[in-house]
Amino acid sequence: MHDMTARAHAPAETSGKKRLPRFAWILYAVTAACAVLMLLFWLFPAFSDFFTRHIGSVLRAVLAHLTSWLPFSLAEYFILLSPAILVGTVLFMVRRYADSWRDVGICLLTLLSILGLFFSLFTVGFASAYHGSTLDQKLQMERREVSAEELKQTALILSEQLNAEAEQVSFESGGFSVMPYSLNEMNTVLNAAYDKAYGKYAFLQPLHSRTKPVMLSELMSYTHITGVYAFFTGEANLNVAFPDYTLPYTAAHELAHQRGIAREDEANFMAFLVCMEADDPYVRYSAYLSLYEYVASALYSANPQYYTEVNATLPLAVRFELKAFSDFFEKYNKSVAADVSETVNNTFLVMQGTEGTKSYGMVVDLAVAFYRPSMT
């Protein structure tokens, strides 16, 4: 009789034990599947291209449409509220799972499964784009080591274009050019430019979206970040504290990420190509000047004399703008936030198989390859 009573009560004791929630098991299963996907991306570039275009594009579009109606950046608010979310989660978990070490373990495994969700969103929506065919292959350009002479010729071509565009741009007495429309109007212009680009570049994902201004742009400037694509909300975010001429090009860069161009040098060059499709001279001016800065920096390192010669061909207003930017950036130049941001960003990019933060400047190789056929 005693044995029967013990057996009858045993299930009740077992059922009282806390277990890993079903959703956590599901998230772990999805994370495991995404880990396999990530391996396939590394091994098979053609599969990565297919996934980026036909599967990842769906998630990116869904996220972009779900968040585009919000007048603010959901990703920014999530980051700002993350300390409160963390504290609230810890307090809840302490009350719910602090009865035993077993419960603590279940709590930690539950939290880990949620982190796995972010990994899964990144893998499905964006990771494949880092491992597919390169932009120079898609554009059928020859990308190779560039000479100082080629850098000079490329910079001269860009300088000539800047001369033409600068005539249609207004400048303030302080040296900066003035964007002649609002951020919303800029997004409209860029969407129209992307519409044209879709007809030329079949690998681009057709999508209508917008960049969102970062509320704490001034603080963001100390990290030296001008824009960021938040893969977990599908938003392209823009630092609006930087000078006007940087905004259209940076916005086009973040929108390129949103459309499946992951590598930083490729997003830089795709932004340039898209801005060239714009009917608006200020967008084209922004792209020419931004690309010129990259090429001129490489030229200065390769041959300072060439740099001096090319710089002298720039319109006076453009030279004033570059000087004004140098003065503007001085207060942000050296900061702990920038060092931390650089380290985190570099680590992330290296983990994706790129050259790290150096990859931003590698747009120079693409620019030279693009203009090489027109060099004399």
Side-chain angles (χ1 to χ4, degrees):
M1 185 69 177
H2 174 75
D3 290 342
M4 290 177 65
T5 304
R7 285 195 294 271
H9 285 183
E13 293 175 1
T14 303
S15 63
K17 292 182 180 179
K18 296 181 177 63
R19 298 181 178 180
L20 194 64
R22 181 171 296 178
F23 79 84
W25 285 109
I26 294 173
L27 291 180
Y28 275 121
V30 172
T31 301
C34 287
V36 175
L37 265 182
M38 187 71 80
L39 179 61
L40 293 176
F41 295 156
W42 280 85
L43 295 176
F44 305 107
F47 174 68
S48 297
D49 283 338
F50 172 85
F51 198 95
T52 299
R53 185 169 182 180
H54 299 288
I55 301 176
S57 59
V58 175
L59 178 59
R60 289 193 303 274
V62 168
L63 290 174
H65 288 308
L66 285 176
T67 58
S68 63
W69 62 274
L70 294 171
F72 56 85
S73 169
L74 181 62
E76 181 181 14
Y77 272 85
F78 179 84
I79 292 171
L80 291 175
L81 293 174
S82 58
I85 294 173
L86 180 61
V87 170
T89 302
V90 170
L91 290 176
F92 171 78
M93 291 298 187
V94 166
R95 292 180 181 179
R96 181 77 173 78
Y97 292 96
D99 295 337
S100 67
W101 283 110
R102 181 180 183 278
D103 289 352
V104 172
I106 290 174
C107 169
L108 293 176
L109 287 172
T110 302
L111 292 176
L112 189 61
S113 73
I114 296 173
L115 292 178
L117 174 61
F118 284 88
F119 170 77
S120 299
L121 285 172
F122 171 71
T123 301
V124 175
F126 202 50
S128 61
Y130 281 105
H131 305 290
S133 56
T134 58
L135 186 60
D136 54 294
Q137 292 172 336
K138 292 171 181 173
L139 295 174
Q140 298 182 333
M141 299 191 310
E142 182 185 8
R143 185 172 184 172
R144 63 172 188 260
E145 187 174 346
V146 302
S147 65
E149 183 62 34
E150 287 176 320
L151 286 171
K152 179 182 179 181
Q153 292 300 317
T154 301
L156 284 171
I157 293 171
L158 292 171
S159 175
E160 182 180 354
Q161 296 297 329
L162 278 167
N163 271 275
E165 300 296 348
E167 293 178 358
Q168 305 177 72
V169 172
S170 298
F171 294 85
E172 293 180 340
S173 58
F176 283 121
S177 59
V178 181
M179 187 166 69
Y181 34 70
S182 67
L183 188 64
N184 283 335
E185 290 169 327
M186 181 198 75
N187 282 317
T188 299
V189 173
L190 287 176
N191 272 299
Y194 265 101
D195 285 341
K196 291 184 179 181
Y198 300 142
K200 286 188 176 181
Y201 311 111
F203 53 84
L204 270 182
Q205 174 188 349
L207 181 66
H208 262 225
S209 59
R210 61 187 175 121
T211 52
K212 295 187 176 184
V214 172
M215 181 176 62
L216 298 181
S217 287
E218 175 66 19
L219 291 179
M220 187 179 182
S221 298
Y222 286 95
T223 68
H224 299 178
I225 296 175
T226 55
V228 61
Y229 171 62
F231 66 86
F232 57 95
T233 61
E235 296 168 302
N237 302 280
L238 186 63
N239 180 343
V240 293
F242 266 59
D244 283 2
Y245 86 87
T246 68
L247 300 183
Y249 178 74
T250 302
H253 173 109
E254 301 309 329
L255 292 174
H257 281 323
Q258 198 179 49
R259 286 149 180 75
I261 307 297
R263 301 179 184 99
E264 296 300 339
D265 55 331
E266 297 181 1
N268 269 341
F269 193 66
M270 197 70 245
F272 172 77
L273 293 178
V274 169
C275 288
M276 292 305 98
E277 299 298 323
D279 294 329
D280 184 82
Y282 195 77
V283 169
R284 298 194 299 270
Y285 171 81
S286 171
Y288 279 125
L289 184 52
S290 297
L291 188 61
Y292 174 84
E293 288 180 286
Y294 280 112
V295 174
S297 177
L299 180 59
Y300 182 82
S301 298
N303 190 315
Q305 179 59 37
Y306 280 178
Y307 169 83
T308 301
E309 293 174 9
V310 173
N311 197 59
T313 67
L314 288 175
L316 189 60
V318 174
R319 279 183 273 171
F320 281 152
E321 174 126 66
L322 292 175
K323 175 63 168 60
F325 179 80
S326 180
D327 294 340
F328 159 85
F329 194 70
E330 186 61 34
K331 71 174 180 176
Y332 307 114
N333 194 26
K334 296 179 181 179
S335 72
V336 175
D339 293 338
V340 173
S341 172
E342 166 80 13
T343 300
V344 172
N345 194 25
N346 184 70
T347 301
F348 169 78
L349 293 174
V350 168
M351 288 175 64
Q352 308 316 314
T354 75
E355 296 294 323
T357 51
K358 291 190 299 183
S359 62
Y360 288 91
M362 290 168 60
V363 67
V364 172
D365 298 343
L366 292 170
V368 172
F370 179 75
Y371 283 115
R372 188 175 283 124
S374 60
M375 293 180 189
T376 56

